[in-house]
Amino acid sequence: MYRYDQFDQRLVDERVAQFRDQVRRRIAGELSDEEFKPLRLMNGVYLQLHSYMLRVAIPYGVLSALQLRKLAHLARTYDRGYGHFTTRQNIQFHWVRLEETPDILAELAEVEMHAIQTSGNSLRNTTADQYAGVAADEIADPRVYAEIIRQWATLHPEFSFLPRKFKIAVTGGARDRAAVKTHDIGLFIRRNAAGELGFEVVVGGGQGRTPFLAKTLRKFLPEADLLSYIEAILRVYNEFGRRDNIYKARIKILVHELGIEKFAELVEAEWAATRAGALRLPEAELARIRAHFASPPYEEIAPPGASLEAERRADPAFARWLRHNTAAHVKPGYAIANISLKATGAVPGDISAGQMEALADLAERLSFGEIRVTHEQNLTLPYVKASELYTLWQALGTLGLATPNIGLASDIIACPGLDFCSLANARSIPIAQRIAERLKDVERQEAIGELRIKISGCINACGHHHVGHIGLLGVDKQGEEFYQMTLGGHAEEDASLGTIIGPAFSSADVVDAVERVVETYLGLRAPGERFIDAYRRVGAQPFKDKLYAAH
Amino acid sequence: MNLEVVTANRLKDGRTVYLGESGWSENLEEARLAGSAAAAQALLALAERSVERNEVVGPYLIEVIEEGGHLVPARRRERIRAEGPTVAAGSGRQSREIV
Amino acid sequence: MPLIKGGEVVEDPWRLLADDEAAPAEGPIAVTLERWQQEQNALLSRAAPLGLRLKAGQHPQAVAEEVARFALIALEFPKFTDGRAYSYARLLRERYGYKGELRAVGQVLRDQLLFMHRCGFDAFEIARADAAEAWRKALGEIGVFYQPMGVGAAAVSERRRELAIGGGNLRGNLGRRRA
């Protein structure tokens, strides 16, 4: 993973000192709240319902064991002993004090971390897929480009007062494990006919009040032009993005209103002027960054032979966990291990300080000291020897982190919602918990197969409900919490936005409604047909009929 | 007649507070009650001066009702602000307590 | 309103001309884009310096070929959150080759001075009594930037090498930016 040199370290250290002074001036009244708000947002400090919240950046979701231990320490020292992982691979602390945030940032800087631009109308954390560097179907490691973008985007003097927030995601090949089509800029790594590396650039995706899937802006962008092209997009957005209405200020609205062809014209015209300039990436710089993401010192192992197979046969619970929570690794003898933060009754995405410390130890012992955060609020250990999976599984079991439900019905994404967030209209966590409780039977979940349920507590869609197979949007109807259901959303390369299925369900009825959707699917699916495929085949009507049948 | 109190968040730590007799309190029971529009505006004006002194941010009026001998906010959002999240933090009952 | 230039509060010799005001024969005057577009010849026939004041949303490409005519270009920030002028500044300096005074006007706050300076502004109308002190502090806060900016900007990789060669413990040494 990327390691800071003196340049990187100096930047975060100076940033801490700068923010410390800004906080001092705010508390002393030298800065008004209106002047201070954008400054604290650009350091990830939100004011929520009960408290300040700090959103710490985890660049493209990658953490070292050392960093995870520091997060545990921060949770204990400055918060209430836990943290929350988000759909943008960041971590949030929900109970910090403004006056202590400079100290928290100083401690983060000690382990090469920060909270820069995790909020505000700026360039946010660039996310990548959590199997970066270890997936067999990868063309090139997306973390390399996510890091290049991260540096270019950090404290960018020209682009720190954009019309609205700006999110970029990179995926390593044709498969999209980073939901790039829901981002302002999405990048698919590609090779052209000559075998050269580059990107398909998509633009104008976004969820929220008016969801859009990103459209192709450029089919192939050469590797060396990555930053100059992104700069051209940002400059066009900075100029033309609306500033009169925050609900129309994202680039997705601009792309939609201009049309992709006109938008592309503007970008290409701007790019013609920037392409040959200082942002062209020399091979030396690409190589420098790439070197930070070289493969770890893998052992040469004969493919997992008797031991794993024997362990699998001997223990059905282990076999089940293997089935759902592990994925094939590019290196023979290794595996990708996913850690579910969705135990029944858990708050999705939450993790305690003790769990963080134990996982840091496990990462160190079993995964070359590295752990990743997924955009679905789970964790991934990317470099586990197949022969050590059983040991890992047992250890995870003692921590309550071995739920074998990755991608299944109880692996629910939920935003913090009205329990925490000042933007929310309804709670999402209790709904996630009740659904998970209703569907907790593992065999039933296996019978259902892949089902992605995503819940947002308001229109801002931090729970990504628009791209849930079943999506729920919390709304307030005359003081009561209701949930509008969408079906058929999907967050991979064949992305789709969910369709609103009918009138919203009350809090009392929504779990039954979800179960009825599941039962309907089971009743009409072809053998082995996933929920999303069945929905795409039959459409919404069979579900509407069952959900809203006259009583 | 609607009863109202003034609520805000404390600047230094962001905690939910209510305007009481002797300053801001985290306890809703200690909040000063306004029973008329004029009284409510007067409380809000007091709160604004506190903003100027950099003690709190974003004060506003909320309706409270009596329930079982206690004062509770009328709106769910405000109940959650007063009483805390309705969910227990962390990773559920399947985990053993790792302190 | 104090004007900061070269790290100090200086007198402002410029006069902003209203669109319907007659242009005096002498003295530096700044006009709006509309006035410039309508009266170019008359304005240029004056022997005195000419300035231009652009509103947010008035892209400087309107005067890209003619920047050498102006000794002052002022860019407005109607609200400090309106970031368009940061792009305009860079384009004026780096693409159109503007070399005169580039002034930030409008809601110019201390915490944006550093970014403005980085984008090419060299003069700032800032409504505070301690303008020079605010400037000095603001500019000293961050000494390293990932983005090469300005005419002939060195690539970041060069700057890294500089720092690496310089060595030593940089923590706590914030350095002083050349203002």
Side-chain angles (χ1 to χ4, degrees):
Chain A
M1 52 182 287
Y2 188 75
R3 300 306 313 275
Y4 282 10
D5 64 14
Q6 289 172 325
F7 189 101
D8 306 302
Q9 187 65 53
R10 176 168 168 175
L11 185 133
V12 292
D13 289 342
E14 290 181 340
R15 176 60 158 203
V16 171
Q18 182 191 55
F19 186 62
R20 190 181 292 282
D21 192 62
Q22 288 167 346
V23 171
R24 180 194 64 75
R25 285 188 289 130
R26 173 65 190 99
I27 292 178
E30 291 168 33
L31 269 172
S32 75
D33 213 59
E34 195 201 347
E35 294 166 352
F36 180 66
K37 187 170 173 186
L39 303 177
R40 68 165 163 79
L41 289 177
M42 284 199 281
N43 282 286
V45 180
Y46 277 91
L47 181 55
Q48 292 286 49
L49 285 185
H50 315 283
S51 180
Y52 288 98
M53 182 263 279
L54 177 66
R55 181 180 295 150
V56 175
I58 300 177
Y60 37 89
V62 175
L63 280 170
S64 69
L66 178 72
Q67 291 172 330
L68 187 54
R69 278 195 197 97
K70 175 62 82 174
L71 293 176
H73 163 76
L74 294 173
R76 283 190 204 292
T77 311
Y78 297 100
D79 204 276
R80 293 194 178 176
Y82 70 98
H84 172 80
F85 290 112
T86 75
T87 52
R88 300 222 70 245
Q89 300 180 302
N90 293 318
I91 189 169
Q92 295 179 168
F93 294 114
H94 289 151
W95 298 97
V96 301
R97 297 168 203 274
L98 177 65
E99 53 191 346
E100 291 182 332
T101 51
D103 291 337
I104 299 173
L105 296 180
E107 292 218 41
L108 285 168
E110 286 170 15
V111 294
E112 303 180 15
M113 295 183 80
H114 60 74
I116 296 172
Q117 293 165 214
T118 54
S119 185
N121 295 337
S122 58
L123 289 149
R124 304 286 191 90
N125 188 26
T126 296
T127 52
D129 77 71
Q130 68 273 15
Y131 294 172
V134 294
D137 62 358
E138 187 175 273
I139 294 174
D141 192 331
R143 294 175 299 165
V144 173
Y145 306 103
E147 176 60 27
I148 289 170
I149 295 168
R150 182 191 76 83
Q151 293 186 17
W152 166 82
T154 300
L155 300 192
H156 200 304
E158 185 182 354
F159 299 129
S160 289
F161 291 94
L162 296 170
R164 198 77 170 90
K165 64 181 101 171
F166 205 93
K167 302 178 179 179
I168 302 175
V170 194
T171 194
R175 290 289 313 278
D176 178 7
R177 283 181 284 264
V180 306
K181 285 190 144 172
T182 65
H183 281 74
D184 298 280
I185 293 177
L187 298 165
F188 290 87
I189 297 177
R190 301 259 188 251
R191 283 196 190 278
N192 64 6
E196 295 160 337
L197 270 178
F199 312 93
E200 177 180 349
V201 183
V202 299
V203 72
Q207 302 197 54
R209 180 169 294 225
T210 26
F212 284 100
L213 293 177
K215 300 174 179 55
T216 299
L217 180 62
R218 191 167 232 274
K219 287 219 175 77
F220 187 79
L221 175 72
E223 201 187 16
D225 296 321
L226 176 65
L227 290 182
S228 63
Y229 197 76
I230 292 180
E231 178 170 275
I233 297 173
L234 263 298
R235 191 164 289 142
V236 169
Y237 174 57
N238 198 32
E239 168 67 14
F240 293 109
R242 289 181 65 166
R243 293 176 186 268
D244 58 320
N245 180 343
I246 64 161
Y247 300 116
K248 302 205 171 207
R250 296 289 289 275
I251 197 172
K252 63 187 178 184
I253 304 294
L254 181 63
V255 170
H256 178 70
E257 289 186 348
L258 287 177
I260 187 69
E261 290 86 13
K262 174 70 183 163
F263 183 78
E265 268 176 47
L266 291 172
V267 171
E268 297 283 329
E270 175 59 31
W271 188 47
T274 62
R275 183 172 190 179
L279 287 179
R280 188 170 171 79
L281 286 166
E283 181 52 38
E285 178 64 6
L286 283 162
R288 182 184 81 88
I289 302 283
R290 232 179 257 131
H292 286 278
F293 298 101
S295 293
Y298 291 124
E299 291 173 32
E300 295 304 319
I301 304 175
S307 75
L308 180 65
E309 189 51 30
E311 284 156 349
R312 200 181 66 77
R313 287 228 181 95
D315 195 331
F318 175 56
R320 176 168 281 131
W321 181 84
L322 273 181
R323 201 153 56 239
H324 300 296
N325 289 31
T326 65
H329 200 286
V330 67
K331 185 72 182 172
Y334 283 81
I336 297 169
N338 290 306
I339 299 168
S340 171
L341 297 181
K342 317 290 179 68
T344 310
V347 174
D350 272 18
I351 187 169
S352 72
Q355 287 171 325
M356 286 192 256
E357 281 153 359
L359 280 177
D361 290 343
L362 285 170
E364 223 154 45
R365 269 174 52 209
L366 303 175
S367 184
F368 292 114
E370 186 172 319
I371 189 165
R372 314 249 182 105
V373 184
T374 81
H375 72 91
E376 294 177 314
Q377 301 176 306
N378 290 316
L379 300 172
T380 296
L381 287 172
Y383 309 116
V384 183
K385 278 198 272 203
S387 58
E388 293 184 322
L389 285 171
Y390 193 65
T391 306
L392 172 63
W393 173 71
Q394 290 178 309
L396 290 174
T398 68
L399 299 168
L401 296 174
T403 314
N405 66 349
I406 300 294
L408 301 180
S410 64
D411 182 12
I412 300 172
I413 292 182
C415 70
L418 189 58
D419 282 303
F420 291 93
C421 182
S422 54
L423 300 172
N425 290 315
R427 287 171 294 162
S428 44
I429 297 170
I431 304 299
Q433 291 174 327
R434 286 167 52 206
I435 294 172
E437 175 67 32
R438 179 71 66 87
L439 299 175
K440 71 180 173 193
D441 182 86
V442 288
E443 283 173 11
R444 186 180 185 195
Q445 287 188 62
E446 284 189 328
I448 294 168
E450 183 189 329
L451 178 60
R452 303 192 186 260
I453 301 175
K454 306 190 182 187
I455 308 175
S456 302
C458 82
I459 202 84
N460 289 295
C462 299
H464 285 193
H465 66 279
H466 291 296
V467 291
H469 296 164
I470 301 176
L472 293 174
L473 168 63
V475 297
D476 179 315
K477 279 183 18 170
Q478 287 152 337
E480 291 307 315
E481 292 168 304
F482 274 72
Y483 297 88
Q484 189 168 77
M485 184 185 286
T486 54
L487 293 181
H490 192 55
E492 295 175 19
E493 61 280 0
D494 56 334
S496 53
L497 297 172
T499 328
I500 297 174
I501 208 70
F505 298 97
S506 68
S507 176
D509 291 342
V510 67
V511 178
D512 287 341
V514 169
E515 192 169 30
R516 200 164 310 136
V517 168
V518 169
E519 293 300 321
T520 305
Y521 152 67
L522 290 173
L524 57 74
R525 71 171 172 186
E529 194 179 39
R530 296 180 306 166
F531 177 91
I532 185 64
D533 297 320
Y535 179 84
R536 286 172 170 175
R537 176 172 59 81
V538 305
Q541 201 56 50
F543 297 94
K544 286 183 183 179
D545 292 342
K546 286 280 163 56
L547 282 170
Y548 298 105
H551 303 301
Chain B
M1 180 60 237
N2 284 354
L3 287 176
E4 290 182 304
V5 303
V6 173
T7 185
N9 288 79
R10 204 155 42 208
L11 174 64
K12 285 190 181 176
D13 61 9
R15 297 295 188 261
T16 303
V17 288
Y18 304 94
L19 185 58
E21 289 298 334
S22 46
W24 297 92
S25 166
E26 291 183 41
N27 187 351
L28 178 58
E29 298 285 337
E30 294 177 12
R32 287 175 65 169
L33 293 170
S36 70
Q41 288 309 310
L43 282 184
L44 211 47
L46 272 179
E48 285 300 330
R49 286 210 272 292
S50 185
V51 170
E52 287 158 25
R53 290 192 300 268
N54 304 298
E55 292 161 0
V56 297
V57 290
Y60 57 99
L61 289 159
I62 62 168
E63 190 188 334
V64 293
I65 53 180
E66 211 195 292
E67 205 171 88
H70 293 287
L71 277 177
V72 297
R75 281 185 66 202
R76 172 172 293 104
R77 183 184 196 276
E78 293 304 326
R79 285 193 81 139
I80 293 175
R81 277 183 82 242
E83 295 164 14
T86 66
V87 294
S91 208
R93 41 189 159 77
Q94 284 187 13
S95 64
R96 288 191 229 127
E97 187 52 49
I98 317 271
V99 179
Chain C
M1 163 111 44
L3 174 66
I4 291 275
K5 193 172 175 185
E8 295 174 334
V9 178
V10 300
E11 288 294 317
D12 183 4
W14 288 87
R15 199 172 126 212
L16 178 64
L17 214 58
D19 280 349
D20 56 2
E21 207 182 329
E26 287 163 8
I29 54 165
V31 297
T32 63
L33 180 63
E34 293 84 355
R35 182 94 181 249
W36 160 255
Q37 287 170 332
Q38 278 164 6
E39 295 180 26
Q40 274 190 44
N41 293 332
L43 291 166
L44 288 172
S45 68
R46 296 169 70 248
L50 184 61
L52 183 69
R53 181 166 171 136
L54 295 178
K55 299 185 186 53
Q58 290 183 326
H59 196 291
Q61 77 194 11
V63 295
E65 307 292 314
E66 296 145 330
V67 293
R69 309 280 196 195
F70 302 106
L72 166 73
I73 297 181
L75 302 178
E76 276 182 27
F77 290 86
K79 291 208 61 175
F80 75 97
T81 50
D82 187 327
R84 285 176 284 186
Y86 293 95
S87 287
Y88 299 161
R90 285 196 69 195
L91 293 170
L92 279 164
R93 289 295 193 211
E94 298 172 35
R95 191 169 299 173
Y96 311 140
Y98 175 65
K99 295 190 175 27
E101 176 180 322
L102 187 57
R103 187 186 293 190
V105 302
Q107 194 180 30
V108 175
L109 304 177
R110 171 234 186 276
D111 290 283
Q112 285 83 53
L113 292 174
L114 180 55
F115 282 175
M116 289 177 180
H117 173 72
R118 188 83 187 151
C119 287
F121 288 99
D122 59 357
F124 310 82
E125 281 181 21
I126 181 163
R128 39 190 306 156
D130 62 343
E133 177 67 4
W135 166 264
R136 193 187 63 76
K137 283 194 182 147
L139 271 282
E141 281 174 351
I142 310 275
V144 287
F145 283 92
Y146 284 121
Q147 308 82 9
M149 285 194 183
V151 176
V156 169
S157 48
E158 278 181 44
R159 188 82 175 89
R160 283 183 190 279
R161 269 195 295 280
E162 272 172 47
L163 274 178
I165 292 167
N169 178 15
L170 287 167
R171 294 176 78 129
N173 171 21
L174 298 187
R176 284 281 173 266
R177 279 184 54 75
R178 290 182 291 283

